[in-house]
Amino acid sequence: MIRDIFMPALSSTMTEGKIVSWVKSPGEKVSKGETVLVVESDKADMDVESFYDGYLAVILVEAGQEAPVGEAIAYIAETEEEIELAKAQGKTAATAPSKPVETPEIAPPPVSIPVAAVKDNGRLVASPRAKKLAKELKVDLKTLVGSGPHGRITAEDVEKATGKVSTAPAPVITPPQPVSVPVAAPKAPIPASAPVVGRTVPLTTLQKAVAQNMSVSLQVPTFQVGYTITTDPLDQLYQQLKSKGVTMTALLAKAVANTLAKHPIVNASYSDAGIQYHGAINVAVAVAMPDGGLITPVLRSANQMDIYSLSRSWKDLVDRARSKQLQPEEYNSGTFTISNLGMFGVDRFTAILPPNQGAILAVGASRPQIVVHNNGLFGVQKQMTVNLTSDHRVIYGADAASFLQDLAKLIETEVQSLTM
């Protein structure tokens, strides 16, 4: 029997995928559960496994090419004798790619290779990180119920099963900071590829996804509310904790998450059925990618994590995001987003609302400012301007203003609570 390998849907927004590489070559034996190819979805590279034993007979879509979700990209032959028949079928498909090839004896069933399936004939499907963590912590994946898309087992499911979070060592090198508190040495931007003058360069899969999402977001009625926050206490806390691996990104994400816990409406989003109040506070933070576009790794349940675990998680997320190894649930499960251009010296800006979220916080640079105290005396304080973009179908002006007021209060007078 000859079976099709279809382009899998690796995320809910994916309409087409790009083949990064074929792990197997035509004629090679393939075992069930073995990785056959690597596909670039909208924001990550994912291993695609075979659901069958057999031989990779024909590759219809070569590495570097794209194909719509659900389109046949290769054939697997059950026996070596069927390889030649599959090759002939492949040549026919090449001349008429829009029509499925049928023969009296062989009827290829429309079986895709989704990564996010719970089981296939009893085989559990888990993310690579979950498999590795389960092996380290001696957890039987068969005893777990996955919380990922379509029941996929995630690393968080493994951690919950052990009653603890993974014990990754505290990082020594911190990732990009969300607030450029040290004004004298702003972080250099990520070097972009040199522009090709006079030519049109096709968008990457990631850039296409970003463009599509932003076009959708512009259909949402939004409004912006700005607020100026004194950051001296936050800077002092960071100086105390950075030697322990705590990052400024984690501090800001923790401050936002704790404030969202008091303002569930700002963590909510619009749906056709009404206002959706999310059960967890998942803070996404925008990260620029070296080859263009951006991705938003998610610190899930950020309000429930301690600042040290949050910092370790953030470093791991950024490292894997830039090597395109994030799982879909690690970048598409955010309920609130932080976008920071302060590290580049930007004073203030307006961020575009991500799809399926109610608000996004734009963070500007922290700079020394001359201020007038309540006693009438002048002084110098470091201040940053934040700007909240909100979905007006869910969040109103008073909601946004109250959230920003409480966020400022936490950073200015209650910042030590972030370590508790």
Side-chain angles (χ1 to χ4, degrees):
M1 180 177 291
I2 298 174
R3 292 185 169 93
D4 292 3
I5 298 178
F6 291 92
M7 176 61 72
L10 303 179
S11 70
S12 59
T13 59
M14 179 176 169
T15 58
E16 62 181 17
K18 179 179 180 180
I19 297 177
V20 177
S21 63
W22 284 94
V23 178
K24 292 290 185 177
S25 301
E28 282 194 73
K29 187 172 179 57
V30 175
S31 299
K32 180 179 177 180
E34 188 176 12
T35 298
V36 180
L37 71 155
V38 179
V39 171
E40 178 187 60
S41 67
D42 47 4
K43 296 183 180 178
D45 292 347
M46 305 281 288
D47 292 345
V48 178
E49 302 173 352
S50 173
F51 277 3
Y52 306 102
D53 293 323
Y55 297 85
L56 181 60
V58 180
I59 292 177
L60 302 178
V61 182
E62 297 291 341
Q65 297 180 341
E66 296 181 352
V69 169
E71 181 175 295
I73 56 178
Y75 293 144
I76 289 182
E78 189 174 12
T79 64
E80 287 187 276
E81 291 73 21
E82 292 177 327
I83 292 179
E84 292 302 320
L85 182 59
K87 288 181 179 179
Q89 186 170 312
K91 290 180 181 179
T92 305
T95 59
S98 61
K99 296 181 180 180
V101 179
E102 297 183 1
T103 64
E105 299 178 357
I106 300 173
V111 180
S112 62
I113 310 181
V115 176
V118 184
K119 292 184 179 180
D120 176 64
N121 295 330
R123 185 178 69 87
L124 287 166
V125 177
S127 70
R129 185 162 171 256
K131 293 178 181 177
K132 180 180 178 182
L133 194 59
K135 184 176 181 180
E136 293 175 355
L137 300 177
K138 294 181 173 52
V139 175
D140 186 357
L141 292 176
K142 295 180 180 179
T143 64
L144 304 184
V145 177
S147 63
H150 307 290
R152 178 182 177 84
I153 297 174
T154 67
E156 185 175 300
D157 297 326
V158 178
E159 292 173 352
K160 288 181 179 178
T162 62
K164 60 180 181 180
V165 297
S166 57
T167 55
V172 177
I173 301 174
T174 58
Q177 310 303 326
V179 184
S180 62
V181 180
V183 180
K187 192 170 182 66
I190 297 173
S193 302
V196 183
V197 179
R199 292 178 57 189
T200 299
V201 180
L203 295 175
T204 65
T205 307
L206 173 58
Q207 289 171 326
K208 288 180 181 178
V210 172
Q212 181 181 2
N213 287 340
M214 294 303 97
S215 297
V216 172
S217 295
L218 290 177
Q219 306 303 314
V220 176
T222 61
F223 69 101
Q224 292 79 37
V225 178
Y227 208 98
T228 300
I229 301 175
T230 299
T231 60
D232 291 284
L234 184 65
D235 182 39
Q236 292 170 9
L237 180 61
Y238 171 64
Q239 294 301 324
Q240 295 171 14
L241 300 179
K242 68 177 182 178
S243 62
K244 300 178 181 179
V246 173
T247 68
M248 184 62 83
T249 296
L251 285 171
L252 185 60
K254 180 69 170 173
V256 167
N258 287 2
T259 307
L260 286 172
K262 299 179 180 179
H263 298 269
I265 189 65
V266 184
N267 192 53
S269 60
Y270 176 84
S271 71
D272 292 338
I275 298 176
Q276 181 178 1
Y277 287 90
H278 300 288
I281 297 174
N282 299 336
V283 179
V285 185
V287 173
M289 297 291 280
D291 57 349
L294 59 86
I295 192 169
T296 53
V298 178
L299 290 164
R300 289 178 287 181
S301 300
N303 61 314
Q304 297 178 6
M305 297 180 68
D306 64 81
I307 194 63
Y308 304 102
S309 298
L310 206 62
S311 295
R312 290 194 294 270
S313 295
W314 178 244
K315 182 181 185 302
D316 174 64
L317 286 168
V318 171
D319 289 345
R320 290 189 294 111
R322 289 184 170 155
S323 61
K324 303 180 76 173
Q325 296 300 314
L326 289 183
Q327 302 301 310
E329 65 270 14
E330 293 177 314
Y331 61 78
N332 65 10
S333 59
T335 58
F336 183 97
T337 297
I338 298 172
S339 179
N340 167 43
L341 291 180
M343 68 179 73
F344 302 110
V346 174
D347 292 322
R348 65 191 69 200
F349 68 103
T350 298
I352 298 177
L353 184 70
N356 305 316
Q357 292 185 25
I360 179 173
L361 186 70
V363 180
S366 175
R367 299 183 181 279
Q369 304 287 345
I370 298 176
V371 299
V372 181
H373 297 294
N374 292 334
N375 58 10
L377 298 178
F378 288 92
V380 177
Q381 292 180 335
K382 287 183 179 179
Q383 295 182 332
M384 69 177 181
T385 298
V386 297
N387 196 14
L388 186 72
T389 299
S390 304
D391 184 342
H392 213 329
R393 297 172 299 179
V394 178
I395 302 168
Y396 300 130
D399 300 320
S402 180
F403 167 79
L404 291 175
Q405 189 177 48
D406 282 350
L407 177 63
K409 180 182 178 182
L410 189 157
I411 292 175
E412 294 175 351
T413 64
E414 302 171 359
V415 72
Q416 291 296 329
S417 66
L418 300 180
T419 62
M420 298 176 183

